[in-house]
Amino acid sequence: MLFSKFFAPTSKEDPADAAIISHKLMLRSGMISQTASGIYCWLPVAVRVIEKISKIICEEQDKIGGNRVYFTTIQSADLWIESGRYDAYGKEMLRIKDRKGGNFLYSPTNEEQATDVFRKYVKSYRGLPTILYQIHWKFRDEIRPRFGVMRGREFLMKDAYSFDIDFESAKKTYEKVFKSYVQTFKRMGLIPIPVQADSGAIGGNMSHEFHILADTGESTLYYDKKLLSASDDELMTTFAVSDEKYDSQKSIISKEELMISKGIEVGHVFYFGTKYSKAMNTFVLDEKGKKVFPEMGSYGIGVSRLVAAIIESSHDDRGIIWPEAVSPFDVVILNLHLKNSKCCSVALKIYEAISFKKEVLYDDRDITVGEKLADADLIGIPWQIIIGQKKVDNGVVELKNRKTGEIIEMSSDKVIDGFLK
Ligand code: ATP
Ligand code: MG
């Protein structure tokens, strides 16, 4: 990709209306453009990150038997009237009328629709367990949209819905999804903190929120220090709660082990039994031909919130530092002297050689050296190949690691070999 043709409207100005660093950096690096309160257009740098995040999520969902679908963003109110949630959902739901006066809504979530699709096609225990998932836009008319895309009104979510024949099987599905979430977040370079979202009376609801630690998080987490080094299995039983739930008198965490930090909720897993299957008369026949209401769960990941959350956990005072797995590009080539033919031929040689293996942004814009270097640090691609006149005359280019700031000089052939390995 040539930067001269790439739509990434970067800016030096610190945006006045952004309260947290991820919001500032997303605006400055030209990732988002606000169109109304809590509603944003997503520009190319951000779209590339969303696609990387989505790919990781889909791979992990598919591994546990998830089936990707697209439910709709516009739903008929009828399904919500059937489940009893149409009135209960309140003002967060954007209600719409079509030209004939029919009641519709923009999806804030899709439990009803998932149940409806399931009941139309699955009639026997043989069709279970089933997991349907999508990555799609949601709208919630949040009372206080803030922090950019962190708490938006329109946002992108991965939402999954599971159907099992009985509690034992539903519990297994829950555990599978739980572990896949741990993997999903780890692959993005994050340390997930599973927080018990419900006290979990026996046979009752199971629910965990997944948080990542950041000073700007909206929740305060109380957790056991052991959590930070726990295995994936241990994570499920290690103690962490948010402030609404924390009771210092009853806490099972000793003072020495107790950690208190701010967290951002990036995911939520929830088992709720037969709530929707019963309300929506959704059943399958078991081996004996008896009607059974499937045990359900739903599982969300805040895809658009994750873009901001990753930035909160990985940046410095010059800009974003993308973890390699979710970076918009693998490497950026900075040609510092466009008028120097040697610089141009070296830059082009490297660009052409590594482009078929790596996602490369070639900064061929006619701007100052300072602006070029600043934009590269701002956008935060993990590797920079810096091509300057003096170095090229000495037969070398510079390879800079965005995270450590370390710069190594080497020949262009060696750089190419490194990226082709
Ligand atoms: P919150 O407590 O932050 O409002 P929630 O409990 O309403 O979240 P869920 O319904 O469980 O959220 O949605 C699944 C995930 O979607 C959340 O874990 C979060 O990461 C993301 N999410 C929820 N609301 C928003 C929003 N307004 N903007 C961006 N992401 C959101
Ligand atoms: Mg909410």
Side-chain angles (χ1 to χ4, degrees):
M1 177 70 68
L2 298 181
F3 206 145
S4 58
K5 307 217 159 42
F6 187 57
F7 194 82
T10 59
S11 149
K12 282 201 275 283
E13 262 32 86
D14 221 8
D17 50 351
I20 61 170
I21 190 71
S22 58
H23 188 196
K24 279 187 188 153
L25 290 174
M26 287 181 80
L27 289 169
R28 283 193 51 212
S29 59
M31 292 175 71
I32 48 170
S33 167
Q34 186 172 8
T35 177
S37 169
I39 309 182
Y40 292 84
C41 298
W42 294 77
L43 306 184
V45 171
V47 170
R48 297 179 77 97
V49 175
I50 282 184
E51 283 181 355
K52 293 276 170 69
I53 291 175
S54 300
K55 186 161 181 280
I56 293 174
I57 291 175
C58 292
E59 283 171 9
E60 295 300 326
Q61 293 285 294
D62 293 352
K63 269 189 207 163
I64 57 165
N67 293 275
R68 189 171 183 189
V69 300
Y70 281 119
F71 295 121
T72 62
T73 53
I74 306 290
Q75 298 182 42
S76 160
D78 296 347
L79 287 175
W80 289 68
I81 292 166
E82 199 183 342
S83 74
R85 279 212 294 182
Y86 188 59
D87 292 324
Y89 209 90
K91 288 192 170 173
E92 272 194 16
M93 182 188 279
L94 181 65
R95 292 152 209 265
I96 308 164
K97 272 201 196 303
D98 72 359
R99 68 204 293 163
K100 293 182 185 143
N103 289 314
F104 288 82
L105 56 102
Y106 197 106
S107 299
T109 179
N110 293 66
E111 279 80 5
E112 284 80 357
Q113 207 174 36
T115 308
D116 185 47
V117 169
F118 175 89
R119 74 178 165 185
K120 280 188 201 152
Y121 303 106
V122 185
K123 308 285 182 192
S124 149
Y125 70 95
R126 287 194 193 86
L128 296 174
T130 294
I131 301 175
L132 302 176
Y133 78 95
Q134 66 168 348
I135 294 179
H136 219 188
W137 297 95
K138 301 278 183 281
F139 191 92
R140 294 182 186 172
D141 204 351
E142 298 273 357
I143 187 163
R144 226 168 279 112
R146 58 182 187 154
F147 300 156
V149 300
M150 198 73 94
R151 183 167 297 285
R153 292 197 294 165
E154 186 181 63
F155 60 97
L156 192 60
M157 196 203 285
K158 187 286 293 180
D159 43 327
Y161 306 90
S162 68
F163 302 83
D164 281 270
I165 194 75
D166 55 24
F167 175 72
E168 278 313 307
S169 172
K171 192 160 174 264
K172 274 193 200 131
T173 298
Y174 183 89
E175 286 167 6
K176 263 204 282 195
V177 179
F178 182 101
K179 283 184 196 158
S180 88
Y181 270 36
V182 172
Q183 282 312 310
T184 301
F185 295 125
K186 283 188 176 168
R187 281 183 63 186
M188 295 174 197
L190 301 169
I191 301 168
I193 310 281
V195 174
Q196 281 152 18
D198 200 273
S199 52
I202 298 162
N205 293 340
M206 291 179 283
S207 178
H208 286 87
E209 289 170 357
F210 284 82
H211 286 252
I212 64 163
L213 301 179
D215 295 340
T216 47
E218 289 187 286
S219 323
T220 305
L221 308 180
Y222 293 77
Y223 61 97
D224 193 326
K225 203 159 76 187
K226 286 203 268 307
L227 222 153
L228 298 174
S229 54
S231 70
D232 292 4
D233 282 329
E234 287 163 348
L235 277 178
M236 230 167 145
T237 51
T238 313
F239 193 79
V241 288
S242 64
D243 46 357
E244 308 105 59
K245 282 246 155 74
Y246 182 70
D247 180 340
S248 60
Q249 255 70 56
K250 290 196 211 130
S251 172
I252 56 166
I253 315 173
S254 70
K255 263 209 185 103
E256 297 74 51
E257 304 285 304
L258 177 68
M259 308 278 284
I260 306 174
S261 315
K262 294 276 185 198
I264 301 169
E265 183 193 324
V266 290
H268 193 173
V269 291
F270 193 27
Y271 159 80
F272 44 72
T274 55
K275 181 175 169 189
Y276 296 93
S277 51
K278 278 195 176 142
M280 296 178 67
N281 195 31
T282 298
F283 58 84
V284 296
L285 298 180
D286 73 5
E287 281 162 300
K288 297 185 187 111
K290 202 180 101 213
K291 274 187 187 178
V292 178
F293 295 105
E295 302 271 334
M296 291 176 59
S298 71
Y299 315 89
I301 292 181
V303 177
S304 51
R305 179 179 288 180
L306 263 172
V307 179
I310 292 168
I311 296 174
E312 286 295 325
S313 77
S314 186
H315 66 268
D316 61 17
D317 51 11
R318 293 191 309 278
I320 304 167
I321 304 171
W322 291 111
E324 295 201 9
V326 296
S327 179
F329 292 91
D330 297 317
V331 48
V332 56
I333 298 172
L334 310 181
N335 181 352
L336 300 186
H337 301 106
L338 284 178
K339 294 194 179 76
N340 180 296
S341 62
K342 228 172 175 180
C343 284
C344 292
S345 66
V346 170
L348 267 179
K349 182 178 92 175
I350 299 175
Y351 178 56
E352 280 164 9
I354 64 179
S355 277
F356 79 95
K357 187 102 185 254
K358 297 285 177 201
E359 291 174 35
V360 191
L361 181 64
Y362 171 24
D363 196 345
D364 60 338
R365 293 173 303 163
D366 189 9
I367 55 174
T368 68
V369 170
E371 284 168 332
K372 225 169 241 192
L373 293 170
D375 268 2
D377 282 351
L378 174 64
I379 295 174
I381 297 162
W383 295 100
Q384 301 173 8
I385 300 169
I386 305 171
I387 298 165
Q389 211 163 290
K390 273 199 203 120
K391 302 285 173 196
V392 163
D393 283 341
N394 292 332
V396 293
V397 299
E398 292 175 309
L399 179 66
K400 177 173 157 181
N401 180 310
R402 171 64 185 90
K403 189 173 177 181
T404 62
E406 192 190 356
I407 295 177
I408 313 169
E409 289 183 9
M410 56 177 87
S411 71
S412 53
D413 286 340
K414 202 149 173 239
V415 169
I416 292 170
D417 282 353
F419 281 101
L420 292 186
K421 249 203 274 172

